[in-house]
Amino acid sequence: MRKVSFILAAAMLMVSAAVMAQQASKVYLTREISPESLVKIYKALGVEAKGRVAVKMSTGEGSNPNYLKPELVKKLIWEVDGTIVECNTAYGNSPADKKDDRNTSENHWKVIERHGFTKYFPVDIMDEYDEMRIPVKDQTHIKYDIVGGHMANYDFMIALNHFKGHPMGGYGGALKNLSIGCASQNGKAYIHSAGKMEKLDMGKLWTPEFVGNQDGFLESMAAAAQAVVNYFNKKQGIIYISVMNNMSIDCDCVDHPEPVKLEDYGILASTDPVALDQACIDIINQQKVTAKNDPTDLLKRIDKQHGTHTIDHAAQIGLGSKKYELVNLDL
């Protein structure tokens, strides 16, 4: 009888785990893109940002006009008494665009100030002085995640993402912001090379040694994103908000991005970064081609770079669910 009871208990646990895995995560949506709507969607999540709050977002490459503007995000950051956190890039621009580089803290600060962020809030370049390693659960490619050392100064993170395309990742959303966005320069090289290059060598940028294999890079991003999520979940927590505006096929890290061909869509938020990225991808897939709104180039970029593999792998390693329930806050 004891053996039968044990088998039944084990079976019930397996069924329970399967049911949990199939549960849909809530993704909140508002079509209004405004400072007030960012605060509204943050509050809809029902998770209070506690302690020392890091707001991870891109402050934009020097001549890129598409980044999330400080005037848009200021009320949210004031609401949580947050600090914008960034890391230096792992590349340089052409000689003509050196003033827009962000691969040194000195130049990065100049761009941050020029883009108006220091006018409103404290900003922290997390790898300005040091870096640290945090544990990685999925060690298929990377054995740890190398992040900005200042991450240790924060208790809670808001991943404030600008959803758009990306030259190498296909798209940029929550998973990229958590992984490449929080990685130090060495960490970026480590992720891009799928664990082959632990220290950035500027002379080897975009060589096969740096780039690694595409799926390995995407899987490394998923693993690094999970590392950051686990890090903050052991502290006070982490949430994710994505703004779908100014959606070029190029990232905010591209100095001269391709023209925007998509109309602004709205703001989405979730406590599940996988569900959030999946919802954004689905919205792009559902867009109809019109004279003012054409998703074709972005969808081609995502497909060419196998971009959704990052989402697939993130779900596979248990970071979140691709299934979601969309909750429209405008209704």
Side-chain angles (χ1 to χ4, degrees):
M1 287 294 293
R2 287 183 179 178
K3 184 176 181 181
V4 172
S5 297
F6 177 79
I7 292 172
L8 285 172
M12 289 177 66
L13 283 172
M14 290 176 65
V15 170
S16 177
V19 170
M20 288 292 290
Q22 293 173 7
Q23 285 183 343
S25 299
K26 286 188 177 181
V27 176
Y28 295 88
L29 164 70
T30 175
R31 296 297 301 273
E32 179 183 311
I33 301 176
S34 70
E36 294 76 19
S37 291
L38 272 172
V39 175
K40 178 181 177 180
I41 207 165
Y42 155 67
K43 291 184 175 180
L45 290 174
V47 180
E48 182 184 357
K50 298 179 180 179
R52 297 164 296 181
V53 178
V55 180
K56 176 61 193 77
M57 62 176 291
S58 172
T59 51
E61 197 70 7
S63 296
N64 188 312
N66 298 327
Y67 61 94
L68 300 179
K69 304 301 187 292
E71 290 75 19
L72 173 63
V73 305
K74 63 183 181 181
K75 288 191 175 181
L76 172 63
I77 297 173
W78 290 342
E79 174 75 24
V80 300
D81 192 21
T83 298
I84 291 179
V85 298
E86 269 273 46
C87 282
N88 290 319
T89 63
Y91 55 82
N93 288 310
S94 66
D97 296 320
K98 283 299 177 184
K99 66 179 176 60
D100 293 327
D101 275 353
R102 294 185 296 145
N103 64 349
T104 67
S105 295
E106 180 183 5
N107 287 342
H108 199 165
W109 276 119
K110 291 176 181 177
V111 174
I112 289 170
E113 290 170 4
R114 194 163 76 243
H115 284 178
F117 286 93
T118 53
K119 175 183 176 182
Y120 294 106
F121 0 78
V123 182
D124 183 5
I125 299 176
M126 292 193 293
D127 64 337
E128 182 170 11
Y129 301 111
D130 57 6
E131 63 188 19
M132 65 180 187
R133 295 178 179 181
I134 60 175
V136 168
K137 181 180 177 182
D138 171 41
Q139 298 189 5
T140 306
H141 304 286
I142 59 176
K143 306 308 177 189
Y144 40 78
D145 188 21
I146 313 173
V147 299
H150 296 184
M151 186 182 286
N153 297 332
Y154 301 98
D155 306 306
F156 190 100
M157 176 172 279
I158 298 176
L160 182 53
N161 323 296
H162 177 209
F163 186 87
K164 68 286 178 189
H166 189 272
M168 296 190 68
Y171 82 95
L175 297 175
K176 177 187 173 292
N177 195 20
L178 292 165
S179 55
I180 293 294
C182 291
S184 67
Q185 289 183 311
N186 290 329
K188 288 177 171 64
Y190 193 46
I191 294 168
H192 271 286
S193 65
K196 294 180 180 178
M197 185 186 292
E198 297 185 37
K199 188 171 179 59
L200 177 65
D201 183 341
M202 295 294 285
K204 294 182 178 179
L205 285 179
W206 317 126
T207 64
E209 182 179 0
F210 178 79
V211 175
N213 69 83
Q214 181 64 9
D215 279 3
F217 159 53
L218 301 177
E219 290 167 8
S220 297
M221 279 208 296
Q226 186 179 44
V228 173
V229 170
N230 289 344
Y231 179 83
F232 279 101
N233 277 335
K234 289 179 180 178
K235 291 187 157 188
Q236 293 292 335
I238 182 169
I239 57 174
Y240 320 93
I241 302 173
S242 291
V243 182
M244 300 184 73
N245 71 343
N246 297 324
M247 293 178 284
S248 167
I249 66 169
D250 286 324
C251 180
D252 298 344
C253 61
V254 175
D255 200 44
H256 301 288
E258 290 295 314
V260 173
K261 296 182 179 180
L262 276 162
E263 291 184 315
D264 294 350
Y265 188 84
I267 305 172
L268 291 84
S270 183
T271 57
D272 181 341
V274 178
L276 180 58
D277 275 10
Q278 184 65 57
C280 291
I281 291 288
D282 289 345
I283 286 170
I284 298 300
N285 272 297
Q286 293 160 9
Q287 296 298 297
K288 295 181 180 179
V289 177
T290 68
K292 296 182 179 180
N293 190 62
D294 190 349
T296 305
D297 290 347
L298 179 52
L299 291 172
K300 285 182 178 178
R301 170 65 62 83
I302 294 169
D303 183 63
K304 179 182 178 182
Q305 298 303 94
H306 204 189
T308 56
H309 184 62
T310 311
I311 300 174
D312 294 339
H313 191 71
Q316 182 181 335
I317 63 177
L319 178 51
S321 172
K322 292 173 61 177
K323 296 183 178 181
Y324 61 91
E325 173 194 353
L326 199 61
V327 180
N328 192 335
L329 299 180
D330 300 333
L331 298 179

